[in-house]
Amino acid sequence: QLMAAPKVSDMSPMLVAMLSRRANIGYTTSGHTGEDVTLYSWSPDGDKLTGLVENTALAGYMAKKLNVDLAQATKRLYVDAMKAFTAKGATSEIIMDKNGGNHLLMVTKGSHVLYAAVNKNEAVIDDKLVTLPGVSVLSNDVFYISQDAVDMIP
């Protein structure tokens, strides 16, 4: 007796999980697609986005309108945590969650301990929860964290 081939819909969760682990991508919903999205814009000076716009162009447009220096923001929000904490004399370790949860960065220096989770804008320093100005990211085995978090370790 032949078994029926699995339906694509049955395989989707497994494929998403495999690709997510491989690409180190976390999702907050299961309903995201790569389809074009309607975007409405308005600007007081009349300079507004129209037509088909690449997603990366949107960040540049918004930065221009808000007078934000993206290079400076990137420098502040995405610091190589291991290098920055080592330079401060702290020890740091990435704790990988093998069960699909958030990976953690643990930093210690003297009596100070900082924990930061991937894909969160929060950290715990000496048992106190603090909000960070950006989301911590783990990409290609490099943990990126905001300069504000680095500054919390003396």
Side-chain angles (χ1 to χ4, degrees), residues 66-138:
L66 295 171
N67 198 27
V68 171
D69 181 338
L70 286 180
Q72 189 63 27
T74 299
K75 185 177 176 183
R76 176 181 175 217
L77 297 176
Y78 300 105
V79 176
D80 182 328
M82 304 300 263
K83 288 181 181 177
F85 288 118
T86 298
K88 294 185 91 164
T91 59
S92 52
E93 173 187 6
I94 300 172
I95 302 167
M96 304 299 279
D97 186 329
K98 305 280 190 241
N99 297 317
N102 277 348
H103 308 308
L104 290 175
L105 174 71
M106 181 179 76
V107 180
T108 56
K109 183 177 180 189
S111 63
H112 300 287
V113 180
L114 179 139
Y115 290 97
V118 172
N119 301 328
K120 300 285 183 183
N121 70 330
E122 299 174 334
V124 175
I125 175 78
D126 300 331
D127 294 324
K128 180 183 174 194
L129 181 66
V130 294
T131 301
L132 301 174
V135 174
S136 298
V137 176
L138 180 63

